[in-house]
Amino acid sequence: MELLEAQRIGLIRQLERLNKQALYSSLNDSNWSVTQILEHIILVEEQTVLMTAKRLNTHTEFKPISLYSWIKVWLMPIVLRLNFKFKAPSVVKPVGNKSLPELMEKWSGVRFQLLQLGESNPAYLKKGIFKHPFLGVLNFEQVLQFLKIHYSHHLVQMNKLVNQLNRSKKFVPKGVVSKTI
């Protein structure tokens, strides 16, 4: 949890340094802007918290994690580095009309809920409490691992976008953004 929170705070500090055009611009209509990518990250965390909390409230028994799920979680960073694309489910697609302060406030609340969830019932958290659409049933440790991998994947995407906008010299004044967000 500490790493996820450190990543969140670091990203927010970097995003606050960007001008509005850099935050809200995309390279074309089929790509997301930096704030849309951020909104997607937040929506994924929010849905993860909601689905996990629902499962904890509606189930009394949880199965251990299968070897297959462990392997898929282990392979996920490799698959993402190979640039395989996954279509985001509609529930985690960004709307794109939120300001950076609104997104930061929402992310803070979602992260607090995630922290509370992690402290709620340690015995259950080692069992399969979350069903990911691609990875299958995960325990809380795997959920956190997934969120870290997901965040890192989209951080690369944000960095590429900001660097491309920087090179185009249309939106980002030189020196405003470090090489990596």
Side-chain angles (χ1 to χ4, degrees):
M1 280 298 295
E2 294 87 20
L3 177 60
L4 274 173
E5 188 58 13
Q7 288 175 329
R8 184 183 76 85
I9 291 168
L11 178 59
I12 288 170
R13 286 185 182 140
Q14 291 294 325
L15 293 178
E16 288 174 331
R17 295 173 55 202
L18 292 174
N19 66 36
K20 285 187 179 184
Q21 287 179 315
L23 287 169
Y24 301 103
S25 298
S26 62
L27 293 172
N28 57 54
D29 291 340
S30 64
N31 291 341
W32 291 344
S33 68
V34 168
T35 52
Q36 287 174 310
I37 297 167
L38 178 61
E39 184 180 359
H40 168 71
I41 291 168
I42 295 165
L43 288 170
V44 166
E45 283 193 25
E46 181 179 50
Q47 286 301 309
T48 301
V49 168
L50 292 172
M51 291 171 60
T52 303
K54 180 179 178 181
R55 193 164 167 92
L56 285 170
N57 289 330
T58 59
H59 290 70
T60 55
E61 298 212 8
F62 300 94
K63 296 177 182 177
I65 302 304
S66 71
L67 178 62
Y68 188 57
S69 285
W70 280 107
I71 291 170
K72 287 199 289 188
V73 170
W74 182 79
L75 287 174
M76 187 179 165
I78 297 165
V79 170
L80 290 175
R81 273 190 222 114
L82 295 173
N83 284 330
F84 282 100
K85 298 212 178 214
F86 295 92
K87 188 173 180 173
S90 59
V91 72
V92 295
K93 281 189 180 174
V95 177
N97 61 359
K98 301 214 178 344
S99 70
L100 183 59
E102 288 173 312
L103 290 169
M104 291 186 318
E105 183 178 335
K106 182 170 183 166
W107 203 6
S108 180
V110 169
R111 188 53 62 83
F112 179 73
Q113 291 174 336
L114 183 64
L115 181 62
Q116 284 185 312
L117 189 62
E119 296 171 349
S120 65
N121 194 334
Y124 283 137
L125 299 178
K126 295 184 187 301
K127 304 280 186 175
I129 58 167
F130 174 72
K131 187 166 193 267
H132 185 275
F134 301 112
L135 301 173
V137 178
L138 308 175
N139 65 25
F140 194 71
E141 177 185 327
Q142 291 172 314
V143 166
L144 295 179
Q145 186 178 355
F146 159 72
L147 292 174
K148 288 175 201 167
I149 294 165
H150 182 257
Y151 168 87
S152 296
H153 169 71
H154 286 296
L155 182 61
V156 169
Q157 187 181 10
M158 283 189 222
N159 284 328
K160 283 181 183 175
L161 174 58
V162 169
N163 287 334
Q164 287 172 326
L165 290 171
N166 236 343
R167 280 195 304 275
S168 74
K169 297 185 180 176
K170 288 182 185 176
F171 303 114
V172 186
K174 192 171 183 162
V176 171
V177 181
S178 62
K179 185 168 182 161
T180 57
I181 291 183

